[in-house]
Amino acid sequence: EGRVDMALAADLVALSRPLPVTFHRAFDMAASLAEALEDLVQLGIERVLTSGGQSTCLEGLPMLAGLVKQAKDRIIIVPGGGIRESNLNRILSGSQATEFH
């Protein structure tokens, strides 16, 4: 349906504690990544793996940058998808992300 299943995700987070939780790239299927990010923050999830809603991080770079800004210090945006040694610096400088997959 293009939204985070809050009830199911909350159950999974509870089962995972005390370990930190990373939400996988299903995040990229959300109708609104900005809204989905707020849902994940509300759930207390520590990280989200994303390519910015695109096939690769380079294609999703503008969205990744926006998500990093939106996330502030509340959740860690972890770019993943098509990252190579040859494009890592571009993704780093373009997104300001601090962790990569």
Side-chain angles (χ1 to χ4, degrees):
E1 297 178 26
R3 295 192 49 91
V4 174
D5 184 331
M6 295 292 283
L8 178 60
D11 287 345
L12 291 172
V13 168
L15 288 169
S16 300
R17 296 299 184 209
L19 298 172
V21 176
T22 300
F23 199 88
H24 58 76
R25 283 188 60 194
F27 173 83
D28 289 325
M29 300 289 107
S32 168
L33 298 185
E35 288 180 20
L37 186 64
E38 294 304 320
D39 288 343
L40 300 183
V41 168
Q42 181 180 343
L43 289 165
I45 292 174
E46 286 82 8
R47 289 174 178 77
V48 58
L49 179 61
T50 178
S51 58
Q54 301 297 318
S55 296
T56 69
C57 290
L58 281 178
E59 293 171 332
L61 195 53
M63 177 59 76
L64 285 168
L67 291 169
V68 169
K69 286 181 185 174
Q70 179 185 347
K72 301 176 186 162
D73 292 327
R74 303 175 301 149
I75 189 170
I76 298 168
I77 304 300
V78 182
I83 297 178
R84 307 281 182 267
E85 183 179 356
S86 60
N87 63 20
L88 178 58
N89 282 333
R90 184 170 166 202
I91 295 167
L92 172 62
S93 64
S95 69
Q96 298 300 304
T98 58
E99 297 184 15
F100 299 87
H101 177 63

